[in-house]
Amino acid sequence: MFVRRNVTSLAPALAVAILLTAGCAGQDHTKPDSEEPASSATPHGYVEGATEAAEQQSRLLLADPESGDTRVLDLITGKVHDTARRPGVTALTTDGRFGYFHNTDGTQVLDGGAWMVDHGDHVHYYRAKIREVGEFPGGTGTSVRGDAGVTVVTAADGKARLYPRAELEKGSVSTPVRLPGDYAGAVVPYAEHLITLTGESSARATVLDRSGKQVAALEAECVDPRGDAVTRRGLVLGCADGALLVHEDDGAFTAEKIPYSEDVPRQERATEFRYRPGSSTLTAPAGKDAVWVLDVTEGAWTRVETGPVVAANTAGEGAPLLVLETDGALRGYDISTGKETTVTEPLLRDLPEAGPGGTATPLIEVDRSRAYLNDPEGRRVYEIDYNDNLRVARTFDLDVRPSLMVETGR
């Protein structure tokens, strides 16, 4: 049964999402962004304190763990913005708007000031000021997952807390709602519910409403769960024998396995997915010299044999698989054939060991038209046109080592 319940503290956040959705029906998308709204009515897509734009307003959030320096690179203007130093930062993640700087004591939250609202048949793009928000408690091993209504912080001990998204958008971290129980991995918001895994070596997916009450227990098991990704086709969870796809349709939740076509050694499993938000094609290293590509729509895995892998990603259907290899060159592969189609000159120097267990920090972020490759040692970021033979479209020189990077505004 499809249950929609929300605790009182989450109502403002969910109300914002509902109002944004309701306000889209029958509106005119052709007016320029600079046109002043009529005073008699709230303009379509209006968000207080933000400017709506006609195109994606991407920004890169960057951090140097050694110095603690952080920056925001605006990909529309090309300007670099200084942000607070964060000594001890060990990881950087995002939900598309907020940057989460993880360290041993907690997770600091930065509003990157660029985001999108996807209504399925159309999308709104926004930009606003960059600002500090606050800090979530929880040290090493903490995961953060969010959507338009809530942000969920899951600690290494399996305890989870929900924060209203609307409060983060206002610039503050409010008192969270504590979820009952312990969870095996990140608690992930999906389809106005929460998907959790309970159990240890063999976990089962459970659907909760946003007050933490169980709505459904799904039968499929996920042995040794590692990695998750929300796609248009559902939530993908990495398992020892492949993936578990949790899907919602008209209030009913189902789970189905997408198994590997062969036995896969533990060190060659897909455990951390990289993909373009909004896509249903996921990538993950398959050991040191290959990349897994998971087509969620088709429910099929493809193993692409490459050279030694440092980083990989793809924009999805029809786009090449992008692989940075240890020679510093970026390569494009045809996913269907596994053949290399394009290679650049070496872009990065002195790369560390490749593959799981290595210390390589370069990675590839992908959006609808460009890919971004960070070069920590060279103190730069490359913008790559992956539709034009991996042409380097722009190079951004920086005053910090961008060892950690995420893209917002997508």
Side-chain angles (χ1 to χ4, degrees):
M1 180 178 180
F2 185 51
V3 180
R4 294 175 185 244
R5 289 191 185 131
N6 303 297
V7 295
T8 302
S9 63
L10 296 182
L14 298 181
V16 170
I18 293 169
L19 287 171
L20 282 172
T21 304
C24 290
Q27 301 293 332
D28 182 5
H29 290 258
T30 63
K31 294 182 179 181
D33 300 324
S34 59
E35 183 175 336
E36 291 296 325
S39 59
S40 61
T42 300
H44 171 55
Y46 174 77
V47 174
E48 185 176 1
T51 300
E52 185 170 6
E55 62 180 356
Q56 185 172 283
Q57 300 295 296
S58 293
R59 291 173 176 170
L60 296 179
L61 278 54
L62 308 165
D64 178 2
E66 292 187 9
S67 67
D69 291 330
T70 67
R71 299 287 188 269
V72 176
L73 171 58
D74 190 320
L75 295 170
I76 301 298
T77 66
K79 293 182 179 179
V80 179
H81 301 267
D82 292 349
T83 47
R85 291 190 70 253
R86 306 175 198 278
V89 60
T90 57
L92 173 58
T93 59
T94 186
D95 57 13
R97 173 174 177 174
F98 297 94
Y100 302 108
F101 295 81
H102 304 259
N103 59 41
T104 55
D105 299 320
T107 301
Q108 296 176 347
V109 184
L110 176 71
D111 185 346
W115 69 97
M116 61 172 280
V117 178
D118 186 352
H119 293 309
D121 60 341
H122 69 283
V123 177
H124 297 278
Y125 299 106
Y126 299 98
R127 61 187 294 116
K129 291 182 178 180
I130 302 162
R131 62 178 174 178
E132 300 290 335
V133 175
E135 184 172 349
F136 297 141
T140 303
T142 297
S143 63
V144 182
R145 303 289 187 270
D147 67 2
V150 296
T151 298
V152 187
V153 180
T154 310
D157 62 4
K159 305 292 184 183
R161 299 176 177 87
L162 272 70
Y163 293 84
R165 173 79 169 212
E167 296 303 310
L168 297 183
E169 293 171 351
K170 293 176 182 178
S172 64
V173 175
S174 61
T175 302
V177 174
R178 295 177 181 269
L179 291 179
D182 299 333
Y183 303 100
V187 175
V188 183
Y190 169 66
E192 299 183 28
H193 288 71
L194 305 171
I195 308 300
T196 71
L197 288 170
T198 54
E200 295 182 3
S201 60
S202 182
R204 291 183 180 273
T206 301
V207 182
L208 310 178
D209 68 15
R210 297 205 164 178
S211 68
K213 181 179 179 181
Q214 181 173 312
V215 173
L218 306 179
E219 291 299 321
E221 291 185 335
C222 184
V223 177
D224 192 19
R226 294 179 65 188
D228 57 85
V230 176
T231 76
R232 288 188 178 277
R233 300 292 179 177
L235 169 63
V236 175
L237 302 168
C239 310
D241 56 354
L244 182 66
L245 175 63
V246 178
H247 176 68
E248 182 270 342
D249 184 16
D250 197 25
F253 287 84
T254 58
E256 61 178 288
K257 296 300 291 288
I258 307 177
Y260 295 123
S261 59
E262 58 190 56
D263 290 335
V264 175
R266 180 181 177 85
Q267 66 272 20
E268 296 181 8
R269 282 181 47 194
T271 59
E272 183 177 355
F273 298 108
R274 304 283 303 172
Y275 63 109
R276 177 181 62 78
S279 168
S280 294
T281 305
L282 312 181
T283 69
K288 292 185 176 182
D289 300 302
V291 174
W292 287 114
V293 179
L294 173 58
D295 185 328
V296 181
T297 302
E298 297 297 327
W301 293 90
T302 300
R303 181 186 172 102
V304 179
E305 301 294 336
T306 64
V309 179
V310 176
N313 209 334
T314 184
E317 184 178 357
L321 169 65
L322 305 178
V323 182
L324 175 68
E325 301 187 10
T326 51
D327 61 359
L330 185 66
R331 288 172 166 81
Y333 290 86
D334 184 299
I335 295 174
S336 61
T337 65
K339 293 182 178 180
E340 180 183 302
T341 57
T342 315
V343 60
T344 69
E345 64 181 18
L347 299 176
L348 278 66
R349 308 288 182 183
D350 303 320
L351 286 171
E353 180 185 355
T359 58
T361 54
L363 52 85
I364 303 167
E365 291 283 351
V366 178
D367 59 35
R368 290 185 179 275
S369 61
R370 294 289 191 268
Y372 296 93
L373 171 65
N374 59 325
D375 179 4
E377 296 303 320
R379 297 187 176 226
R380 64 177 63 94
V381 171
Y382 293 103
E383 180 181 75
I384 308 295
D385 186 346
Y386 55 79
N387 291 314
D388 187 13
N389 295 317
L390 308 188
R391 176 177 60 87
V392 176
R394 290 187 290 179
T395 301
F396 300 98
D397 294 315
L398 304 164
D399 63 346
V400 300
R401 299 175 72 253
S403 297
L404 303 175
M405 178 179 74
V406 295
E407 183 178 354
T408 64
R410 296 177 296 184

